[in-house]
Amino acid sequence: MKLYYKPGACPLASHIALQETGRPFEIEAVDTAAGRTESGADYRAINPKGYVPALHLDDGSVLTEGAAVLQYIADSSPEAGLAPAAGTMDRARMQEQLNWIGTELHKAFGPLFREGTSEADKEAARTAVAGKFDIIEAQLEDGRAWLVADRFSVADAYLFVVSNWANFTGIDLARWPRLAAFVSRCAARPSAQAAMRAEGLIQ
């Protein structure tokens, strides 16, 4: 398998999940603006959507969309325990988290990374993100370590990556102590350390 990624962007969640499985895989960075991979390939020939992640599978097919890629990684390595069993309420809860993170929290960060966004629009985006963080903080009030079934899953990997963007967009996570502790907990996992190191995010 090969994961196409952009350093620090949402494919980092898939990268962490792959590290959790212990299976062999490759990674290749993508310049989404130029539409080229690190090796010079036309990325749109790999993924016509033009964005990351994309997971090139051993049979030659390509899977896109973060939530789908994360669940495929989990389901193809069930021994890693990265997702509850299909058909269970816990699995539905994990999918609920993945969908919300992708459509609400991830999307709310968009203006903060978009070139040309006015300062007023950036401040509005920070306010929107804060509202999403309030929801997560409330979920964590019951003392859970992880989002679903008190076990690390691909939903936690995704929440970690997106929440950690606060540290690069002028949002102080100290306002949400349980979420800040969650981010620290995820960052300390060997899989996260290995993925971030491979992407050049940490030494």
Side-chain angles (χ1 to χ4, degrees), residues 41-61:
D42 177 4
Y43 184 59
R44 286 193 177 273
I46 298 165
N47 178 11
K49 297 170 183 174
Y51 49 75
V52 290
L55 186 64
H56 189 274
L57 304 175
D58 294 339
D59 65 1
S61 61

Side-chain angles (χ1 to χ4, degrees), residues 6 109 186 188:
K6 189 173 183 178
F109 270 98
C186 289

Side-chain angles (χ1 to χ4, degrees), residues 9-184:
C10 60
L12 177 59
S14 296
H15 193 171
I16 291 168
L18 286 167
Q19 291 284 355
E20 289 275 345
T21 70
R23 296 174 62 183
F25 66 92
E26 301 174 65
I27 59 171
E28 185 167 353
V30 177
D31 182 337
T32 52
R36 291 282 167 184
T37 71
E38 193 173 22
S39 64
D42 177 4
Y43 184 59
R44 286 193 177 273
I46 298 165
N47 178 11
K49 297 170 183 174
Y51 49 75
V52 290
L55 186 64
H56 189 274
L57 304 175
D58 294 339
D59 65 1
S61 61
V62 175
L63 182 64
T64 65
E65 302 302 322
V69 171
L70 285 165
Q71 289 181 84
Y72 175 81
I73 292 168
D75 289 338
S76 62
S77 296
E79 68 283 355
L82 294 173
T88 64
M89 179 53 73
D90 282 343
R91 180 58 173 253
R93 290 298 184 194
M94 189 196 76
Q95 291 169 322
E96 178 183 36
Q97 295 285 356
L98 286 172
N99 288 337
W100 185 83
I101 295 164
T103 61
E104 296 295 327
L105 182 59
H106 186 161
K107 184 178 178 181
F109 270 98
L112 296 171
F113 291 109
R114 197 173 299 127
E115 287 188 26
T117 302
S118 69
E119 198 49 52
D121 286 343
K122 285 185 178 180
E123 200 51 46
R126 291 187 187 100
T127 298
V129 168
K132 312 302 181 189
F133 280 174
D134 288 342
I135 293 171
I136 300 166
E137 187 75 6
Q139 288 182 32
L140 298 175
E141 280 182 357
D142 61 8
R144 71 181 76 178
W146 309 113
L147 290 174
V148 179
D150 208 26
R151 180 168 183 169
F152 181 85
S153 74
V154 291
D156 297 299
Y158 194 10
L159 178 60
F160 161 64
V161 170
V162 178
S163 297
N164 195 48
W165 292 343
N167 293 311
F168 307 96
T169 53
I171 301 171
D172 188 357
L173 278 178
R175 176 176 161 184
W176 303 274
R178 294 178 184 86
L179 177 58
F182 170 88
V183 169
S184 296

